[in-house]
Amino acid sequence: MADTFTGFVFQGVKFIGSEFISHYIIDKDGVTAEGTLTIGNGNIINEYTNSTDVTGSFTVDEYGTIINQRTLASGIGEKYELTPYRLALDGETYRGEITARQLSQLNATGEKLWSGGWHMSASQTVTPARPLSSCLTGWLLEFRGYTSNTGVDTDFSYIFVPKSHAVNHSGKAMSPSVTVYGGAITRKILYVTNTTITGHSNNAVSPASGAILTGVYAN
């Protein structure tokens, strides 16, 4: 039979191969919670109920995975799970997750991946700093008006290239509408893959020559 110690204070003591079990009752913000916190075998486990009829548990395993789940008085369950690579949420009206890769893509939104001033003729190929597959939704192409051998700060057009284009139509021609200097609408012909944007000879001929590609952004 194990000895039981009550009311002792230990300082500077090393415990090896032990399991700690703490029963508690806490009053906070008018709610009373009663539960048990257990530390052992590389895990932290907290199980509780409170005076609003909520039951739940919070665990941290030996790999650092955190799982917090509870059931409300209405019977509705809520849960989140956090690892070094993903956050997953599950609630009454929502369910989803975000991974480290997706968060990186989200943080990169708006990042300039290429800049220049090209008509995008057949001999011109742009290779953005991020491939389509590494962007959250795709690329945003910036065109501006061109006249007298100069790109002007007017008649901007923005063209969205979705990630799905490289998956389903890689290398096939896109024909986005752009505004040329003076306000007329024409088209550019572009061949897009996961990593490149290549032009067409028509893009350097009037009226399409009245606009140039000046930027590619992560979107």
Side-chain angles (χ1 to χ4, degrees), residues 148-201:
S148 301
N149 297 319
T150 303
V152 294
D153 289 330
T154 186
D155 295 318
F156 285 90
S157 300
Y158 291 92
I159 308 301
F160 175 62
V161 180
K163 293 169 69 170
S164 59
H165 182 85
V167 174
N168 300 312
H169 311 293
S170 180
K172 302 295 180 63
M174 294 181 59
S175 296
S177 297
V178 296
T179 302
V180 300
Y181 179 73
I185 304 296
T186 187
R187 69 167 185 160
K188 290 285 189 177
I189 303 173
L190 304 171
Y191 300 92
V192 177
T193 69
N194 185 50
T195 57
T196 61
I197 307 166
T198 300
H200 186 278
S201 57

Side-chain angles (χ1 to χ4, degrees), residues 53-120:
D53 294 326
V54 173
T55 62
S57 66
F58 176 91
T59 65
V60 181
D61 71 13
E62 63 273 20
Y63 299 110
T65 297
I66 300 172
I67 300 176
N68 190 347
Q69 53 190 342
R70 65 180 184 175
T71 302
L72 307 181
S74 62
I76 294 172
E78 298 178 332
K79 176 182 178 181
Y80 74 75
E81 180 176 344
L82 177 64
T83 76
Y85 313 104
R86 63 188 283 269
L87 169 64
L89 300 173
D90 188 351
E92 178 182 4
T93 58
Y94 57 84
R95 177 174 297 171
E97 69 174 48
I98 185 166
T99 65
R101 177 181 175 84
Q102 291 167 332
L103 187 58
S104 172
Q105 294 171 348
L106 178 62
N107 289 338
T109 299
E111 176 185 340
K112 181 173 282 190
L113 306 178
W114 178 88
S115 61
W118 291 1
H119 285 105
M120 296 306 295

Side-chain angles (χ1 to χ4, degrees), residues 7-87:
F8 284 82
V9 176
F10 298 93
Q11 294 181 340
V13 179
K14 178 185 290 186
F15 294 92
I16 300 175
S18 300
E19 183 177 42
F20 292 85
I21 301 175
S22 174
H23 302 287
Y24 63 86
I25 298 176
I26 298 173
D27 293 308
K28 185 176 182 181
D29 299 327
V31 177
T32 300
E34 182 174 356
T36 301
L37 174 67
T38 304
I39 303 175
N41 299 317
N43 293 266
I44 300 173
I45 303 173
N46 182 50
E47 298 176 310
Y48 66 90
T49 60
N50 71 23
S51 55
T52 64
D53 294 326
V54 173
T55 62
S57 66
F58 176 91
T59 65
V60 181
D61 71 13
E62 63 273 20
Y63 299 110
T65 297
I66 300 172
I67 300 176
N68 190 347
Q69 53 190 342
R70 65 180 184 175
T71 302
L72 307 181
S74 62
I76 294 172
E78 298 178 332
K79 176 182 178 181
Y80 74 75
E81 180 176 344
L82 177 64
T83 76
Y85 313 104
R86 63 188 283 269
L87 169 64

